[in-house]
Amino acid sequence: SAVISQKPSRDICQRGTSLTIQCQVDSQVTMMFWYRQQPGQSLTLIATANQGSEATYESGFVIDKFPISRPNLTFSTLTVSNMSPEDSSIYLCSALDRAGNTIYFGEGSWLTVV
Amino acid sequence: GNSVTQMEGPVTLSEEAFLTINCTYTATGYPSLFWYVQYPGEGLQLLLKATKADDKGSNKGFEATYRKETTSFHLEKGSVQVSDSAVYFCALSKSNDYKLSFGAGTTVTVRA
């Protein structure tokens, strides 16, 4: 199994600022992903975090708004840039274990933009 | 594309009642199917999974069987407890990219 830790767990952010969320996995994993869960909604995939190269973004998400880094096999960051109240969401990091069997999630970073 | 349709909630039950949450999917090929659970104030946890047709996933008294003929993966529990109160998400992923497509989620409340 994989244990995924995210920081911060919660934050209240000012409109127009940017915040970086960190994701640390306790073991080497193959793929890492970032999801967004808007209030009362389901989860939507933002992007796949690729080690050592640019992330692969899903339709509707762009690098300028959600820059992502993944410098090694166990760590990734997601930045939410120039935040607006519409960015108030839970942002979840997930990872595929090395066996390729199970996708684990972090506990999420609950962001509120005021 | 891939999609998951999940039974609308909210669902309210009494303790020891039988729970079923319907989930059907649309996908090409042979996706893997998952149920995730989100307890109040917590992140997402994998509840169970099935990776091929006729597989049955089970955990914590919950079960779901991968039915390719009906493209379904319904979640069942024979006797729910108050601690089962949570939001349940059905999801699928293609075997070659592991990107999850989620259903809308079903909120379940179990009353003592």
Side-chain angles (χ1 to χ4, degrees):
Chain A
S1 66
V3 177
I4 302 177
S5 302
Q6 286 185 232
K7 292 181 181 179
S9 57
R10 293 178 184 271
D11 209 339
I12 299 173
C13 308
Q14 295 297 315
R15 189 188 304 239
T17 63
S18 299
L19 182 80
T20 296
I21 302 166
Q22 297 181 0
C23 175
Q24 178 73 56
V25 190
D26 69 342
S27 57
Q28 289 188 350
V29 293
T30 53
M31 303 181 76
M32 294 182 73
F33 307 89
W34 287 96
Y35 287 82
R36 180 175 73 181
Q37 185 180 19
Q38 294 177 299
Q41 303 296 315
S42 187
L43 287 81
T44 302
L45 179 64
I46 298 173
T48 303
N50 300 310
Q51 186 198 354
S53 64
E54 192 171 288
T56 305
Y57 290 84
E58 298 300 306
S59 176
F61 297 95
V62 295
I63 187 171
D64 289 346
K65 177 68 176 178
F66 298 102
I68 288 169
S69 77
R70 186 181 174 193
N72 57 51
L73 287 173
T74 63
F75 186 78
S76 178
T77 67
L78 167 73
T79 299
V80 186
S81 302
N82 188 25
M83 286 185 283
S84 67
E86 292 71 34
D87 295 319
S88 297
S89 297
I90 307 171
Y91 293 86
L92 296 106
C93 174
S94 75
L96 175 68
D97 67 3
R98 287 181 69 89
N101 293 331
T102 303
I103 301 167
Y104 295 92
F105 281 81
E107 292 192 349
S109 297
W110 302 55
L111 302 188
T112 301
V113 184
V114 298
Chain B
N2 299 330
S3 67
V4 177
T5 302
Q6 195 174 332
M7 187 176 85
E8 294 283 334
V11 174
T12 302
L13 301 165
S14 297
E15 248 185 338
E16 300 183 4
F18 184 86
L19 171 68
T20 299
I21 304 176
N22 289 340
C23 172
T24 57
Y25 68 90
T26 301
T28 56
Y30 300 91
S32 295
L33 301 173
F34 306 84
W35 278 99
Y36 283 88
V37 59
Q38 188 173 39
Y39 297 103
E42 299 185 14
L44 212 60
Q45 301 177 24
L46 177 66
L47 181 60
L48 54 84
K49 66 176 182 179
T51 57
K52 61 183 187 295
D54 299 325
D55 267 2
K56 177 185 284 188
S58 61
N59 187 26
K60 299 182 180 180
F62 290 89
E63 292 184 341
T65 301
Y66 189 145
R67 302 284 189 201
K68 188 160 179 65
E69 64 276 14
T70 55
T71 61
S72 65
F73 193 55
H74 305 321
L75 182 69
E76 297 182 337
K77 185 172 185 180
S79 176
V80 293
Q81 305 300 312
V82 172
S83 57
D84 293 324
S85 297
V87 181
Y88 293 83
F89 292 94
C90 185
L92 70 80
S93 73
K94 293 189 295 185
S95 59
N96 60 349
D97 68 14
Y98 304 101
K99 299 177 184 179
L100 287 167
S101 298
F102 284 88
T106 302
T107 301
V108 174
T109 302
V110 181
R111 295 184 172 166

